[in-house]
Amino acid sequence: MKTIHIEKYVDGVRQEELSLPVGPIRFVAGLLPNDTFRQLQQQGLDIDALLSEPHGGEAQWLEVTEGGVAKRIRVSCSG
């Protein structure tokens, strides 16, 4: 089964991880407005590529700040 993996890093150390089946993500992605897709792409996350590539393509990274702390989010797909 194809799965999306989300990992949160602080200073290069993985703090959290989550794996979700692609089916529900594909459903939710279909509900997002086009503006949201464009904003995510500008931030470095191409949902279409993750969901359509046979093996999800290369991992994608997002730079975020949470509680004043800079974090990197790695999103990848397997299966």
Side-chain angles (χ1 to χ4, degrees):
M1 173 190 334
K2 199 167 178 182
T3 306
I4 296 287
H5 305 282
I6 303 168
E7 301 167 284
K8 185 189 302 183
Y9 291 84
V10 177
D11 294 327
V13 178
R14 186 173 60 205
Q15 301 292 312
E16 296 179 49
E17 69 178 298
L18 174 68
S19 295
L20 302 164
V22 167
I25 293 173
R26 187 171 279 131
F27 173 76
V28 171
L31 300 175
L32 294 174
N34 288 337
D35 286 345
T36 302
F37 268 97
R38 282 192 292 277
Q39 289 174 3
L40 289 171
Q41 284 180 323
Q42 289 173 350
Q43 295 295 319
L45 181 62
D46 186 349
I47 294 174
D48 287 334
L50 279 171
L51 298 178
S52 64
E53 293 286 328
H55 297 288
E58 293 189 28
Q60 299 179 29
W61 291 88
L62 296 167
E63 307 288 331
V64 299
T65 301
E66 185 177 67
V69 178
K71 300 181 180 186
R72 293 189 77 207
I73 308 295
R74 180 180 188 266
V75 183
S76 61
C77 188
S78 66

Coordinates of all heavy atoms in Angstrom, one line a residue:
M1 N 0.8 -1.2 0.0 CA 0.0 0.0 0.0 C 0.9 1.2 0.0 O 1.9 1.3 0.7 CB -0.9 0.0 1.2 CG -1.7 1.3 1.4 SD -2.6 1.6 2.9 CE -2.9 0.0 3.6
K2 N 0.5 2.2 -0.8 CA 1.3 3.5 -0.9 C 1.0 4.3 0.4 O -0.1 4.4 0.8 CB 0.8 4.2 -2.2 CG 1.8 5.2 -2.6 CD 1.4 5.7 -4.0 CE 2.4 6.8 -4.4 NZ 2.0 7.3 -5.7
T3 N 2.1 4.8 0.9 CA 2.0 5.5 2.2 C 2.8 6.8 2.1 O 3.9 6.9 1.5 CB 2.6 4.7 3.3 OG1 2.0 3.4 3.3 CG2 2.4 5.3 4.7
I4 N 2.2 7.9 2.7 CA 2.9 9.2 2.9 C 3.6 9.2 4.3 O 3.0 8.8 5.3 CB 1.9 10.3 2.8 CG1 1.3 10.4 1.4 CG2 2.6 11.7 3.1 CD1 2.2 10.9 0.3
H5 N 4.9 9.6 4.3 CA 5.6 9.7 5.5 C 5.9 11.2 5.8 O 6.4 11.9 4.9 CB 6.9 8.9 5.4 CG 6.7 7.5 5.0 ND1 6.3 6.5 5.9 CD2 6.8 6.9 3.8 CE1 6.1 5.4 5.3 NE2 6.5 5.6 4.0
I6 N 5.6 11.6 7.0 CA 5.9 13.0 7.4 C 6.8 13.0 8.6 O 6.5 12.3 9.6 CB 4.6 13.8 7.7 CG1 3.7 13.7 6.5 CG2 4.9 15.2 8.1 CD1 2.2 14.1 6.8
E7 N 8.0 13.6 8.5 CA 8.9 13.7 9.6 C 9.3 15.1 9.9 O 9.5 15.9 9.0 CB 10.2 12.9 9.2 CG 10.0 11.5 8.8 CD 11.2 10.9 8.1 OE1 11.4 11.2 6.9 OE2 11.9 10.1 8.8
K8 N 9.3 15.4 11.2 CA 9.7 16.8 11.7 C 11.1 16.8 12.3 O 11.3 15.9 13.2 CB 8.7 17.3 12.7 CG 8.9 18.7 13.1 CD 8.0 19.2 14.3 CE 6.5 19.0 14.0 NZ 5.7 19.5 15.1
Y9 N 11.9 17.7 11.8 CA 13.3 17.8 12.3 C 13.6 19.1 13.0 O 13.1 20.1 12.5 CB 14.3 17.6 11.2 CG 14.3 16.2 10.6 CD1 13.4 15.8 9.6 CD2 15.2 15.3 11.0 CE1 13.4 14.6 9.1 CE2 15.3 14.0 10.5 CZ 14.4 13.6 9.5 OH 14.4 12.4 9.0
V10 N 14.3 19.1 14.1 CA 14.8 20.3 14.7 C 16.3 20.1 14.8 O 16.8 19.1 15.4 CB 14.2 20.5 16.1 CG1 14.8 21.7 16.8 CG2 12.7 20.6 16.0
D11 N 17.1 21.1 14.3 CA 18.5 21.0 14.3 C 19.1 19.7 13.8 O 20.0 19.1 14.3 CB 19.1 21.3 15.7 CG 18.8 22.7 16.1 OD1 18.8 23.6 15.3 OD2 18.6 22.9 17.4
G12 N 18.4 19.1 12.7 CA 18.8 17.9 12.1 C 18.4 16.6 12.8 O 18.8 15.5 12.4
V13 N 17.7 16.7 13.9 CA 17.3 15.6 14.7 C 15.8 15.4 14.6 O 15.0 16.3 14.8 CB 17.6 15.8 16.2 CG1 17.2 14.6 17.0 CG2 19.1 16.0 16.4
R14 N 15.4 14.2 14.2 CA 14.0 13.9 14.0 C 13.3 13.9 15.3 O 13.7 13.2 16.3 CB 13.8 12.5 13.3 CG 12.3 12.3 13.0 CD 12.1 11.0 12.1 NE 12.6 9.9 12.9 CZ 13.0 8.8 12.3 NH1 13.0 8.6 11.0 NH2 13.4 7.8 13.0
Q15 N 12.2 14.7 15.4 CA 11.4 14.9 16.6 C 10.1 14.1 16.6 O 9.7 13.6 17.6 CB 11.1 16.4 16.9 CG 12.3 17.3 16.9 CD 13.1 17.0 18.2 OE1 12.6 16.9 19.3 NE2 14.4 16.8 18.0
E16 N 9.5 14.0 15.4 CA 8.2 13.3 15.3 C 8.2 12.7 13.9 O 8.8 13.2 13.0 CB 7.1 14.3 15.4 CG 6.9 15.0 16.7 CD 5.8 16.0 16.7 OE1 4.7 15.6 16.3 OE2 6.0 17.1 17.2
E17 N 7.3 11.7 13.8 CA 7.1 11.1 12.5 C 5.7 10.5 12.4 O 5.1 10.1 13.4 CB 8.1 10.0 12.1 CG 8.1 8.8 12.9 CD 9.1 7.8 12.4 OE1 9.0 7.3 11.2 OE2 10.0 7.4 13.2
L18 N 5.1 10.5 11.2 CA 3.7 10.1 11.0 C 3.7 9.4 9.6 O 4.2 9.9 8.7 CB 2.8 11.3 11.1 CG 1.3 11.1 10.8 CD1 0.7 10.2 11.8 CD2 0.6 12.4 10.7
S19 N 3.0 8.3 9.5 CA 2.8 7.6 8.2 C 1.3 7.5 8.0 O 0.6 7.0 8.9 CB 3.5 6.3 8.2 OG 4.9 6.4 8.3
L20 N 0.8 7.8 6.8 CA -0.6 7.8 6.5 C -0.8 7.1 5.1 O 0.0 7.3 4.2 CB -1.2 9.2 6.4 CG -1.1 10.0 7.7 CD1 -1.3 11.5 7.4 CD2 -2.1 9.5 8.7
P21 N -1.9 6.3 5.0 CA -2.1 5.7 3.7 C -2.5 6.9 2.7 O -3.1 7.9 3.1 CB -3.3 4.8 3.9 CG -3.9 5.1 5.2 CD -2.8 5.9 6.0
V22 N -2.2 6.7 1.4 CA -2.4 7.7 0.4 C -3.9 7.9 0.1 O -4.3 9.1 -0.1 CB -1.6 7.3 -0.9 CG1 -2.1 8.1 -2.1 CG2 -0.1 7.5 -0.7
G23 N -4.7 6.9 0.2 CA -6.1 7.1 -0.1 C -6.8 8.2 0.6 O -7.4 9.1 -0.1
P24 N -6.8 8.3 1.9 CA -7.4 9.4 2.6 C -6.8 10.8 2.2 O -7.4 11.8 2.2 CB -7.2 9.1 4.1 CG -7.0 7.6 4.1 CD -6.3 7.3 2.9
I25 N -5.5 10.8 2.0 CA -4.8 12.0 1.7 C -5.2 12.5 0.3 O -5.4 13.7 0.1 CB -3.2 11.9 1.8 CG1 -2.9 11.6 3.2 CG2 -2.5 13.1 1.2 CD1 -1.4 11.3 3.4
R26 N -5.4 11.5 -0.6 CA -5.8 11.9 -2.0 C -7.2 12.5 -1.9 O -7.6 13.5 -2.6 CB -5.8 10.6 -2.8 CG -6.1 10.9 -4.3 CD -5.9 9.7 -5.2 NE -4.5 9.6 -5.4 CZ -3.8 8.5 -5.3 NH1 -4.3 7.4 -4.9 NH2 -2.5 8.5 -5.6
F27 N -8.1 11.9 -1.0 CA -9.5 12.4 -0.9 C -9.4 13.9 -0.3 O -10.1 14.8 -0.9 CB -10.3 11.6 0.1 CG -11.6 12.1 0.4 CD1 -12.7 12.1 -0.5 CD2 -11.8 12.7 1.7 CE1 -13.9 12.6 -0.1 CE2 -13.0 13.2 2.0 CZ -14.1 13.2 1.1
V28 N -8.7 14.1 0.8 CA -8.6 15.4 1.4 C -7.9 16.4 0.4 O -8.4 17.6 0.3 CB -7.8 15.4 2.7 CG1 -7.5 16.8 3.2 CG2 -8.6 14.6 3.7
A29 N -6.9 16.0 -0.4 CA -6.3 16.9 -1.3 C -7.3 17.3 -2.4 O -7.2 18.5 -2.9 CB -5.1 16.2 -2.0
G30 N -8.2 16.5 -2.7 CA -9.2 16.8 -3.7 C -10.2 17.9 -3.2 O -10.8 18.6 -4.0
L31 N -10.2 18.1 -1.9 CA -11.1 19.2 -1.3 C -10.4 20.5 -1.2 O -11.1 21.5 -1.0 CB -11.6 18.7 0.0 CG -12.4 17.4 0.1 CD1 -12.7 17.0 1.5 CD2 -13.7 17.5 -0.7
L32 N -9.1 20.5 -1.4 CA -8.4 21.8 -1.2 C -8.6 22.7 -2.3 O -8.6 22.3 -3.5 CB -6.9 21.5 -1.1 CG -6.4 20.7 0.2 CD1 -4.9 20.4 0.1 CD2 -6.7 21.5 1.4
P33 N -8.7 24.0 -2.1 CA -8.8 25.0 -3.1 C -7.5 25.1 -3.9 O -6.4 24.9 -3.4 CB -9.1 26.3 -2.4 CG -9.4 26.0 -1.0 CD -8.9 24.6 -0.7
N34 N -7.6 25.6 -5.1 CA -6.4 25.7 -6.0 C -5.4 26.7 -5.4 O -4.2 26.4 -5.5 CB -6.8 26.2 -7.4 CG -7.5 25.2 -8.2 OD1 -7.3 24.0 -7.9 ND2 -8.3 25.6 -9.2
D35 N -5.9 27.7 -4.7 CA -4.9 28.7 -4.0 C -4.1 27.9 -3.0 O -2.9 28.2 -2.8 CB -5.7 29.8 -3.4 CG -6.2 30.8 -4.4 OD1 -5.8 30.8 -5.5 OD2 -7.1 31.6 -4.0
T36 N -4.7 27.0 -2.3 CA -3.9 26.3 -1.3 C -2.9 25.4 -1.9 O -1.7 25.3 -1.4 CB -4.9 25.4 -0.4 OG1 -5.9 26.2 0.2 CG2 -4.2 24.6 0.6
F37 N -3.2 24.7 -3.0 CA -2.2 24.0 -3.8 C -1.0 24.8 -4.2 O 0.1 24.5 -4.0 CB -2.8 23.3 -5.0 CG -3.3 22.0 -4.8 CD1 -4.7 21.7 -4.5 CD2 -2.5 20.8 -4.8 CE1 -5.2 20.5 -4.3 CE2 -3.0 19.6 -4.6 CZ -4.3 19.4 -4.3
R38 N -1.3 26.0 -4.7 CA -0.2 26.9 -5.1 C 0.6 27.4 -4.0 O 1.8 27.5 -4.0 CB -0.8 28.1 -5.9 CG -1.2 27.8 -7.3 CD -1.5 29.1 -8.1 NE -2.7 29.8 -7.6 CZ -4.0 29.4 -8.0 NH1 -4.2 28.4 -8.8 NH2 -5.0 30.1 -7.5
Q39 N 0.0 27.7 -2.8 CA 0.7 28.1 -1.6 C 1.6 27.0 -1.1 O 2.8 27.2 -0.8 CB -0.2 28.6 -0.5 CG -0.9 29.9 -0.8 CD -1.9 30.2 0.2 OE1 -2.1 29.6 1.2 NE2 -2.6 31.3 -0.1
L40 N 1.1 25.8 -1.1 CA 2.0 24.6 -0.7 C 3.1 24.4 -1.7 O 4.3 24.2 -1.2 CB 1.1 23.4 -0.6 CG 0.1 23.3 0.6 CD1 -0.8 22.1 0.4 CD2 0.9 23.3 1.9
Q41 N 2.9 24.6 -3.0 CA 4.0 24.4 -3.9 C 5.0 25.5 -3.7 O 6.2 25.2 -3.8 CB 3.4 24.5 -5.4 CG 2.7 23.2 -5.8 CD 2.2 23.2 -7.2 OE1 1.7 24.3 -7.6 NE2 2.3 22.1 -7.9
Q42 N 4.6 26.7 -3.4 CA 5.6 27.8 -3.2 C 6.4 27.5 -1.9 O 7.5 27.9 -1.9 CB 4.8 29.1 -3.0 CG 4.2 29.7 -4.3 CD 3.4 30.9 -4.1 OE1 3.1 31.3 -3.0 NE2 3.0 31.5 -5.2
Q43 N 5.8 26.8 -1.0 CA 6.6 26.4 0.2 C 7.5 25.2 0.0 O 8.2 24.8 0.9 CB 5.6 26.2 1.4 CG 4.8 27.4 1.8 CD 5.7 28.4 2.4 OE1 6.7 28.2 3.1 NE2 5.5 29.7 2.0
G44 N 7.3 24.5 -1.1 CA 8.1 23.3 -1.4 C 7.4 22.0 -1.4 O 8.1 21.0 -1.5
L45 N 6.1 22.0 -1.3 CA 5.4 20.7 -1.2 C 4.5 20.6 -2.4 O 3.5 21.4 -2.6 CB 4.5 20.7 0.1 CG 3.7 19.4 0.3 CD1 4.6 18.2 0.4 CD2 2.8 19.5 1.5
D46 N 4.8 19.7 -3.3 CA 4.0 19.4 -4.5 C 3.2 18.1 -4.3 O 3.6 17.0 -4.5 CB 4.9 19.2 -5.7 CG 4.2 19.1 -7.0 OD1 2.9 18.9 -7.0 OD2 4.8 19.2 -8.1
I47 N 2.0 18.3 -3.8 CA 1.1 17.2 -3.5 C 0.8 16.3 -4.7 O 0.8 15.1 -4.6 CB -0.2 17.7 -2.9 CG1 0.0 18.4 -1.5 CG2 -1.2 16.5 -2.7 CD1 -1.2 19.0 -0.9
D48 N 0.6 16.9 -5.9 CA 0.3 16.1 -7.1 C 1.5 15.2 -7.4 O 1.2 14.0 -7.7 CB 0.1 17.1 -8.3 CG -1.3 17.7 -8.2 OD1 -2.2 17.2 -7.6 OD2 -1.4 18.8 -8.8
A49 N 2.7 15.7 -7.3 CA 3.9 14.8 -7.5 C 3.9 13.7 -6.5 O 4.2 12.5 -6.9 CB 5.1 15.7 -7.5
L50 N 3.7 14.0 -5.3 CA 3.7 12.9 -4.3 C 2.7 11.8 -4.5 O 3.0 10.6 -4.4 CB 3.5 13.5 -2.9 CG 4.6 14.1 -2.2 CD1 4.1 14.8 -0.9 CD2 5.7 13.1 -1.8
L51 N 1.5 12.2 -4.9 CA 0.4 11.3 -5.1 C 0.4 10.6 -6.5 O -0.1 9.5 -6.6 CB -0.9 12.0 -4.9 CG -1.2 12.6 -3.5 CD1 -2.5 13.3 -3.5 CD2 -1.1 11.5 -2.4
S52 N 1.1 11.2 -7.5 CA 1.0 10.6 -8.8 C 2.2 9.8 -9.2 O 2.1 8.9 -10.1 CB 0.7 11.7 -9.8 OG 1.8 12.6 -9.9
E53 N 3.4 10.1 -8.7 CA 4.6 9.4 -9.0 C 4.4 8.0 -8.5 O 3.9 7.7 -7.5 CB 5.8 10.0 -8.3 CG 6.2 11.4 -8.9 CD 6.8 11.4 -10.2 OE1 7.5 10.4 -10.5 OE2 6.6 12.3 -11.0
P54 N 4.9 7.0 -9.3 CA 4.8 5.6 -8.9 C 5.4 5.3 -7.5 O 4.8 4.6 -6.8 CB 5.6 4.9 -10.0 CG 5.7 5.8 -11.2 CD 5.6 7.2 -10.6
H55 N 6.5 5.9 -7.2 CA 7.0 5.7 -5.9 C 7.1 7.0 -5.1 O 8.0 7.2 -4.2 CB 8.4 5.0 -6.0 CG 8.3 3.7 -6.6 ND1 7.8 2.6 -5.9 CD2 8.7 3.2 -7.8 CE1 7.8 1.5 -6.7 NE2 8.3 1.9 -7.8
G56 N 6.3 8.0 -5.5 CA 6.3 9.3 -4.8 C 7.4 10.3 -5.1 O 7.4 11.4 -4.7
G57 N 8.3 9.9 -6.0 CA 9.4 10.8 -6.4 C 10.3 11.0 -5.2 O 10.4 10.2 -4.3
E58 N 11.1 12.1 -5.3 CA 12.0 12.4 -4.2 C 11.3 13.1 -3.0 O 10.2 13.6 -3.2 CB 13.1 13.4 -4.8 CG 13.9 12.8 -5.8 CD 15.1 13.6 -6.2 OE1 15.5 14.4 -5.3 OE2 15.6 13.5 -7.3
A59 N 11.9 13.0 -1.9 CA 11.4 13.6 -0.7 C 11.3 15.1 -0.9 O 12.1 15.7 -1.6 CB 12.2 13.2 0.5
Q60 N 10.3 15.7 -0.3 CA 10.1 17.1 -0.4 C 10.3 17.7 1.0 O 9.9 17.1 2.0 CB 8.7 17.4 -0.9 CG 8.5 16.9 -2.3 CD 7.1 17.2 -2.9 OE1 6.5 18.2 -2.5 NE2 6.7 16.3 -3.7
W61 N 10.8 18.9 1.1 CA 11.1 19.5 2.4 C 10.3 20.9 2.5 O 10.2 21.6 1.6 CB 12.6 19.8 2.5 CG 13.4 18.6 2.7 CD1 13.9 17.8 1.7 CD2 13.8 17.9 3.9 NE1 14.6 16.7 2.2 CE2 14.5 16.8 3.6 CE3 13.5 18.2 5.2 CZ2 15.0 15.9 4.5 CZ3 14.1 17.4 6.2 CH2 14.8 16.2 5.8
L62 N 9.8 21.1 3.7 CA 9.2 22.4 4.0 C 10.0 23.0 5.2 O 10.4 22.3 6.1 CB 7.8 22.2 4.5 CG 6.8 21.7 3.5 CD1 5.5 21.3 4.2 CD2 6.5 22.7 2.5
E63 N 10.2 24.3 5.2 CA 10.8 25.1 6.3 C 9.6 25.7 7.0 O 8.9 26.5 6.4 CB 11.8 26.1 5.7 CG 12.8 25.6 4.8 CD 13.9 24.7 5.5 OE1 14.1 25.0 6.7 OE2 14.5 23.9 4.8
V64 N 9.5 25.5 8.3 CA 8.4 26.1 9.1 C 9.0 26.6 10.4 O 10.1 26.2 10.8 CB 7.3 25.1 9.4 CG1 6.7 24.6 8.2 CG2 7.8 23.9 10.3
T65 N 8.3 27.5 11.1 CA 8.6 28.0 12.4 C 7.4 27.6 13.3 O 6.3 28.0 13.0 CB 8.9 29.5 12.4 OG1 9.9 29.8 11.5 CG2 9.2 30.0 13.8
E66 N 7.7 26.9 14.4 CA 6.7 26.5 15.3 C 7.1 26.9 16.7 O 8.1 26.5 17.2 CB 6.5 25.0 15.2 CG 5.4 24.4 15.9 CD 5.3 22.9 15.7 OE1 6.2 22.1 16.1 OE2 4.2 22.5 15.1
G67 N 6.3 27.7 17.3 CA 6.6 28.2 18.7 C 7.9 28.9 18.7 O 8.7 28.8 19.7
G68 N 8.3 29.6 17.6 CA 9.5 30.4 17.6 C 10.7 29.5 17.2 O 11.8 30.0 17.2
V69 N 10.5 28.2 17.0 CA 11.6 27.3 16.7 C 11.6 26.9 15.2 O 10.5 26.5 14.7 CB 11.5 26.0 17.5 CG1 12.6 25.1 17.2 CG2 11.6 26.4 19.0
A70 N 12.7 27.1 14.5 CA 12.8 26.7 13.1 C 12.8 25.2 13.0 O 13.6 24.5 13.7 CB 14.0 27.3 12.4
K71 N 12.0 24.7 12.1 CA 11.9 23.2 11.9 C 11.9 22.9 10.4 O 11.5 23.8 9.6 CB 10.6 22.7 12.6 CG 10.7 23.0 14.1 CD 9.5 22.4 14.8 CE 9.6 22.8 16.3 NZ 8.5 22.2 17.0
R72 N 12.3 21.7 10.1 CA 12.2 21.2 8.7 C 11.2 20.0 8.7 O 11.3 19.2 9.6 CB 13.5 20.8 8.2 CG 14.5 22.0 8.0 CD 15.8 21.6 7.3 NE 15.5 21.5 5.9 CZ 16.1 20.8 5.0 NH1 17.1 20.0 5.4 NH2 15.8 20.8 3.7
I73 N 10.3 20.0 7.7 CA 9.4 18.9 7.6 C 9.8 18.2 6.3 O 9.8 18.8 5.2 CB 8.0 19.4 7.5 CG1 7.6 20.4 8.6 CG2 7.0 18.3 7.4 CD1 7.6 19.7 10.0
R74 N 10.0 16.9 6.4 CA 10.3 16.0 5.3 C 9.0 15.2 4.9 O 8.5 14.5 5.8 CB 11.4 15.1 5.6 CG 11.8 14.2 4.4 CD 13.0 13.3 4.9 NE 13.5 12.5 3.8 CZ 13.1 11.3 3.4 NH1 12.2 10.6 4.2 NH2 13.7 10.7 2.4
V75 N 8.6 15.3 3.7 CA 7.4 14.6 3.2 C 7.8 13.6 2.1 O 8.4 14.1 1.1 CB 6.3 15.5 2.7 CG1 5.1 14.7 2.3 CG2 5.9 16.5 3.8
S76 N 7.6 12.3 2.2 CA 8.0 11.4 1.2 C 6.9 10.4 1.1 O 5.9 10.3 1.9 CB 9.3 10.7 1.6 OG 9.1 10.0 2.8
C77 N 7.0 9.6 0.0 CA 6.0 8.5 -0.3 C 6.7 7.2 -0.6 O 7.7 7.2 -1.2 CB 5.1 9.0 -1.4 SG 3.7 8.0 -1.8
S78 N 6.1 6.1 -0.2 CA 6.7 4.8 -0.5 C 5.5 3.9 -0.8 O 4.4 4.1 -0.5 CB 7.5 4.3 0.7 OG 6.6 4.0 1.8
G79 N 5.9 2.8 -1.5 CA 4.9 1.8 -1.8 C 4.6 1.8 -3.2 O 4.2 1.7 -4.1

